[in-house]
Amino acid sequence: MDFFRRLLYALVLLLECVCILSVDTNGQTPLKPEDGTASRNVAVIGAGSAGASTAYYLRRFSDLAGVPVNITVFEREAYIGGRSTTVNVFDDPSLPIELGASIFVSVNHNLMDTAKELGLKISGAGGDRPEESTHMLGIWDGFSFIYLQGHSLSWWDMAKLLWRYGLAPIRTQSLMKNTVNKFLEMYKPPYFPFSSLSATVQDLDLHKATAVTGTQFLETNGISKSFSDDVIQSSTRVNYGQNLGLIHGLEAMVCMATDGAVAIEDGNWRIFSGMLDSSRADLKLNATVTTIQQNDDDSLTLSYSSNGGSISSHTFDEVVIAGPFQYSNLEVSPSLERIPDKIPYVKLFVTLFASPHQISPAFFDLSDQKDVPEMILTTLPRGMDLGSREDGVGPAGFWSISLLRIVEAPAEDPHQKHYVYKVFSPEKLTAGFLASVLGVEIPEPDQNGTVGDISRNDVSWFHEKTWHSYPYEYPRLTFEEIKLANNMWYTAGIESFISTMETSSLMGMNVAGLMTNEWHDKLRLGKPVSWSGWTHQRNSEL
Ligand SMILES: Cc1cc2nc3c(=O)[nH]c(=O)nc-3n(C[C@H](O)[C@H](O)[C@H](O)COP(=O)(O)OP(=O)(O)OC[C@H]3O[C@@H](n4cnc5c(N)ncnc54)[C@H](O)[C@@H]3O)c2cc1C
Ligand SMILES: *[C@@H]1O[C@H](CO)[C@@H](O)[C@H](O)[C@H]1NC(C)=O
Ligand SMILES: *[C@@H]1O[C@H](CO)[C@@H](O)[C@H](O)[C@H]1NC(C)=O
Ligand SMILES: *[C@@H]1O[C@H](CO)[C@@H](O)[C@H](O)[C@H]1NC(C)=O
């Protein structure tokens, strides 16, 4: 026994010597375990939710660990936010509207907490909507509205719901809550920080929801097909551009978790901008990282071009790739042992426009303007099953059309009201389609033209964007690795699990947690961080 203990002691001493020696011979700053003065140089590629959150939480965790950290964030675009960004109606900066991610919900702790901490104005989603119509929401199947809802869920709406769908709405609500509660465990120890998403999903029993389609998951849980196909599917279509026969059960549940839907008044990207400020990161915009070179001493050298021109390079201790690998155009050398799989992403067309006209009742076979719902979602007609087809839009031809707000026109016609709408569709809108939605006549040759071919009198402003918005959420059991190589981290594997601003933020925070753990456990830098202490402190700050 004594022998073993002495052997162990000798081994520990030997390992420590080897460790210090190997660092010294590389000519680097020796790692100092006790005084913790050795600083870590971290690069984050991407200034969206994941990248900004990585920087923000890394600053906090490194403070707790007592390890100085130098954070540099590279973003190829000229703006912060990635898929969360705004454009201005009439190019007027006082009229920003979301072009990408528009809402988050009250259980989204990272976004909620930071928005409060940064003192940003949080408003109820759709708060700018005028309520000129009788119906807040309608679900269109390409032929008729199969569901309409007023501005508040009155006893009459409730009675109609129960009469049509029985207990399905209530069952869905409790299934959703149950699922969300399991997910929330991921923010706390013993799960947080998790080194394998696949294992954590399994441990939390969430694989039962991710392994099957929405259709299967809802059926297994006793939710009627009519409620699933009419109502739940309209939500998976507006949120993810996919039907229940494709999207997995967990993401279908996320679509029903709409309690306390909110947005940041001047744009959700302000959360990420605030996070970056607070992280004191050196932010480089218009900076495209092109290669990551893995060096023998486990450091990583990034090459990046600034403003599309000059190439520079810089060496870091750690690198976080904070966006989908397949769209980052990064070359890693020597090549990674396992490159993240290329997965299919939804190609989503977003059309924002302003018009003095409202959506025409005639387009939807309605007689009165007041009957046109402010938010029009779509589903497939009863009896039509497009299974897991990616081109699943069906007879409706679009995913959603919603009225965002009413604005006053610029100088020329100051007293005219203009209605601002957002359309999600799988294809670019034609002039003919939009003209008939607005009930205006356009010349025959323009029918197949683009939105820009419509007269300024009818469409006073527009902005179009094609996004690779989120993955097709096919059922799956395993998710991409979080650690791609020594000191190289990856956030976007979480998008095949749940693709939202919050989950990207959670993964950014998780990577920051894993990195901080390694500093202590592997490099003997700083103090260990107590994750339960941190969770507790965080919850009591609110
Ligand atoms: C139209 C639309 C609607 C959506 N609606 C919602 C919603 O209502 N609620 C919600 O929560 N989510 C919504 N989402 C999803 C949400 O936007 C994303 O899940 C989330 O923003 C992803 O954040 P991210 O940081 O992981 O990735 P991204 O936002 O894509 O950020 C990655 C960043 O990395 C940068 N980058 C990539 N490669 C390089 C490189 N080589 N060098 C430098 N920079 C690089 C990119 O320019 C980008 O800014 C929506 C998305 C879209 C498109
Ligand atoms: C921090 O990193 C930047 C690279 O972006 C480098 O120029 C700077 O010298 C570093 N600062 C410290 C204190 O290491
Ligand atoms: C980024 O590029 C745009 C033009 O593409 C330019 O207007 C902007 O000033 C640049 N920003 C920075 C920080 O270089
Ligand atoms: C518009 O396109 C359709 C097919 O995409 C075609 O049948 C029709 O003739 C075209 N109309 C005009 C005016 O070009």
Side-chain angles (χ1 to χ4, degrees):
M1 193 61 212
D2 204 25
F3 170 76
F4 279 115
R5 196 173 296 150
R6 263 186 289 154
L7 180 67
L8 206 65
Y9 184 56
L11 272 174
V12 168
L13 273 182
L14 184 69
L15 280 175
E16 279 188 353
C17 291
V18 169
C19 181
I20 290 166
L21 272 176
S22 69
V23 173
D24 269 339
T25 52
N26 280 338
Q28 290 190 336
T29 330
L31 302 174
K32 295 178 195 136
E34 294 313 324
D35 65 10
T37 48
S39 132
R40 294 295 280 175
N41 233 329
V42 179
V44 178
I45 304 172
S49 174
S53 302
T54 305
Y56 175 78
Y57 290 103
L58 192 61
R59 174 63 62 201
R60 294 198 142 190
F61 298 165
S62 65
D63 285 349
L64 292 175
V67 176
V69 64
N70 185 7
I71 309 170
T72 308
V73 176
F74 296 90
E75 171 55 60
R76 68 180 163 200
E77 299 293 341
Y79 67 90
I80 293 168
R83 275 169 278 167
S84 168
T85 187
T86 52
V87 292
N88 302 323
V89 181
F90 302 131
D91 302 320
D92 176 345
S94 72
L95 299 174
I97 50 176
E98 296 289 354
L99 182 60
S102 55
I103 60 163
F104 55 101
V105 294
S106 53
V107 292
N108 290 167
H109 292 311
N110 287 8
L111 300 181
M112 276 294 185
D113 294 5
T114 338
K116 285 180 196 158
E117 186 197 302
L118 296 167
L120 298 173
K121 276 196 206 138
I122 305 171
S123 64
D128 292 332
R129 237 180 268 135
E131 300 203 9
E132 283 192 355
S133 163
T134 319
H135 308 298
M136 191 263 291
L137 177 130
I139 301 173
W140 172 252
D141 72 358
F143 302 100
S144 63
F145 280 104
I146 56 161
Y147 177 77
L148 288 164
Q149 192 183 297
H151 290 277
S152 57
L153 203 60
S154 65
W155 67 268
W156 175 237
D157 291 320
M158 211 58 164
K160 279 195 296 188
L161 261 178
L162 290 174
W163 181 74
R164 262 184 69 186
Y165 300 115
L167 293 177
I170 295 164
R171 285 218 185 98
T172 306
Q173 186 76 1
S174 78
L175 182 62
M176 180 274 289
K177 283 212 171 115
N178 190 293
T179 314
V180 166
N181 284 337
K182 288 182 194 167
F183 163 74
L184 291 176
E185 292 296 313
M186 294 170 75
Y187 289 72
K188 301 178 266 192
Y191 300 99
F192 184 86
F194 44 91
S195 51
S196 160
L197 180 57
S198 310
T200 306
V201 168
Q202 184 99 27
D203 290 347
L204 286 168
D205 231 24
L206 285 168
H207 62 295
K208 288 181 185 144
T210 64
V212 294
T213 64
T215 307
Q216 291 164 332
F217 185 69
L218 293 164
E219 198 185 298
T220 309
N221 285 283
I223 290 162
S224 67
K225 189 156 171 54
S226 59
F227 186 68
S228 301
D229 290 355
D230 291 3
V231 178
I232 304 180
Q233 183 156 269
S234 74
S235 189
T236 61
R237 287 163 62 96
V238 66
N239 284 305
Y240 292 106
Q242 37 207 302
N243 293 316
L244 283 174
L246 190 166
I247 198 167
H248 61 60
L250 181 66
E251 196 74 291
M253 281 295 104
V254 167
C255 293
M256 296 311 285
T258 54
D259 283 358
V262 294
I264 300 300
E265 234 167 67
D266 302 323
N268 294 324
W269 62 270
R270 287 181 190 272
I271 297 179
F272 311 122
S273 169
M275 281 178 162
L276 289 170
D277 285 344
S278 162
S279 76
R280 304 194 303 279
D282 175 13
L283 172 66
K284 296 191 188 301
L285 292 175
N286 295 339
T288 307
V289 179
T290 51
T291 58
I292 305 177
Q293 154 115 27
Q294 307 190 71
N295 305 318
D296 290 342
D297 64 355
D298 281 347
S299 67
L300 300 157
T301 303
L302 299 193
S303 302
Y304 63 97
S305 80
S306 304
N307 291 300
S310 65
I311 307 273
S312 324
S313 64
H314 219 97
T315 299
F316 295 89
D317 297 313
E318 323 239 7
V319 171
V320 182
I321 302 169
F325 192 83
Q326 67 198 61
Y327 298 126
S328 67
N329 300 322
L330 287 168
E331 190 194 311
V332 181
S333 81
S335 164
L336 290 169
E337 260 166 50
R338 225 194 89 57
I339 294 165
D341 279 337
K342 190 170 189 303
I343 57 172
Y345 267 66
V346 172
K347 193 169 160 197
L348 179 73
F349 287 79
V350 177
T351 310
L352 302 170
F353 69 92
S355 170
H357 313 294
Q358 286 177 267
I359 301 287
S360 157
F363 185 85
F364 293 104
D365 273 330
L366 300 168
S367 49
D368 198 320
Q369 188 68 60
K370 275 205 154 348
D371 291 336
V372 179
E374 291 180 352
M375 193 194 283
I376 299 166
L377 310 185
T378 64
T379 191
L380 298 174
R382 283 275 175 94
M384 180 182 278
D385 186 354
L386 297 182
S388 63
R389 276 174 59 172
E390 291 180 2
D391 58 343
V393 75
F398 64 91
W399 303 118
S400 64
I401 300 181
S402 37
L403 175 61
L404 302 180
R405 61 199 288 180
I406 296 181
V407 298
E408 279 190 14
E412 308 92 79
D413 49 353
H415 302 299
Q416 218 178 348
K417 273 184 181 177
H418 285 237
Y419 296 83
V420 181
Y421 290 97
K422 175 185 279 190
V423 184
F424 284 174
S425 56
E427 311 275 356
K428 193 174 162 78
L429 297 189
T430 63
F433 173 84
L434 194 55
S436 60
V437 165
L438 290 172
V440 300
E441 299 281 337
I442 61 167
E444 183 58 30
D446 284 350
Q447 288 291 331
N448 286 351
T450 64
V451 172
D453 293 330
I454 301 176
S455 154
R456 285 288 291 257
N457 296 328
D458 295 322
V459 171
S460 46
W461 171 87
F462 70 99
H463 186 101
E464 293 171 296
K465 168 85 185 172
T466 313
W467 289 107
H468 291 295
S469 44
Y470 14 69
Y472 281 103
E473 301 283 3
Y474 286 103
R476 57 190 293 161
L477 279 169
T478 58
F479 302 90
E480 288 301 337
E481 294 300 325
I482 300 168
K483 197 169 172 189
L484 300 181
N486 278 344
N487 301 331
M488 202 191 303
W489 309 87
Y490 183 52
T491 61
I494 202 163
E495 287 196 48
S496 318
F497 169 67
I498 300 174
S499 179
T500 58
M501 295 182 280
E502 176 70 17
T503 38
S504 279
S505 173
L506 169 62
M507 189 52 103
M509 176 172 86
N510 185 58
V511 163
L514 293 173
M515 207 187 277
T516 313
N517 274 356
E518 273 200 358
W519 291 342
H520 180 263
D521 299 345
K522 255 178 73 179
L523 305 173
R524 320 193 94 257
L525 278 173
K527 318 187 274 276
V529 173
S530 150
W531 299 114
S532 56
W534 181 73
T535 310
H536 189 75
Q537 178 205 332
R538 155 180 206 180
N539 292 338
S540 60
E541 270 169 18
L542 293 170

